[in-house]
Amino acid sequence: MKALHRAPLLALLAITSCGIPATGVVEAGGPASGALPLTPVYFVEDGRLVAMQRNTGRPGDPTDALRLLWDGPLAGEGGTGRLDVLTTELPALPTAMALPSAATDVPGSPLSDSSGAAGSSASDTPTVTVAGNTMTIRLPAGMAGLSDLGVRQLVCTATAAYLLTRPGTAAPAAEVTGGGHLVRMSDARCPAR
């Protein structure tokens, strides 16, 4: 009879003392997730806008998407057999400070601060803010000569990036300011992504 009472106690001791020490939470990086979504960046081909899908460290960040846009089209982008068919209507930035490449911008690095690039001020790089249902794209001072197609490149790229991580959200109205510009438009004139 005593042996029957000891059997469960022995089984419990065998299970709890298997020799594996207790540990706390072990940090092993971020949570599991799938591939990051690609950001549509709008370039010009034969006088019309076309979306090229790009990787960025911060999907959904319109300012980061504009960095990709100012980097220009990549070699061979736009299809095989077509050389240098993608262009941009955007003028060069008005400062000697080059806009940092978003392709190498990593969150937490000096480039990822909200003012734009390390060593530059917010006044010499384009910035995007969203308040309510209005997206404001601020151009640096001295940026002149922006065509209607160039404005559409900015608006379509920034709006597509913003909506990328906000499914079901209505597209904000866009306002492009700075550099002598004040243009308001929606993404209605943007081609499908």
Side-chain angles (χ1 to χ4, degrees):
M1 184 92 158
K2 284 186 176 184
L4 288 176
H5 290 298
R6 289 185 190 161
L9 181 62
L10 289 173
L12 181 63
L13 285 172
I15 292 172
T16 60
S17 63
C18 62
I20 299 174
T23 60
V25 175
V26 177
E27 294 293 331
S33 65
L36 292 175
L38 296 174
T39 300
V41 179
Y42 287 85
F43 293 107
V44 178
E45 179 181 41
D46 296 327
R48 62 184 171 78
L49 294 182
V50 293
M52 292 291 114
Q53 303 299 317
R54 295 278 187 87
N55 287 312
T56 178
R58 292 184 302 265
D61 181 347
T63 300
D64 210 41
L66 291 183
R67 287 183 186 143
L68 292 170
L69 180 60
W70 250 281
D71 281 348
L74 300 173
E77 193 169 47
T80 56
R82 299 185 294 175
L83 277 179
D84 301 322
V85 293
L86 293 180
T87 62
T88 182
E89 286 285 311
L90 300 177
L93 291 173
T95 65
M97 173 74 66
L99 190 63
S101 170
T104 59
D105 193 2
V106 177
S109 74
L111 295 178
S112 65
D113 96 305
S114 61
S115 67
S120 68
S121 69
S123 64
D124 63 1
T125 59
T127 59
V128 180
T129 57
V130 179
N133 62 350
T134 301
M135 173 184 291
T136 302
I137 302 168
R138 286 187 188 4
L139 301 176
M143 178 166 289
L146 193 58
S147 69
D148 177 61
L149 196 53
V151 170
R152 287 180 43 218
Q153 275 188 277
L154 290 171
V155 169
C156 294
T157 298
T159 302
Y162 179 77
L163 295 174
L164 186 66
T165 57
R166 294 163 184 88
T169 301
E175 181 177 273
V176 180
T177 66
H181 299 281
L182 178 53
V183 179
R184 290 183 178 96
M185 68 178 281
S186 72
D187 72 335
R189 294 179 58 198
C190 299
R193 300 182 261 290

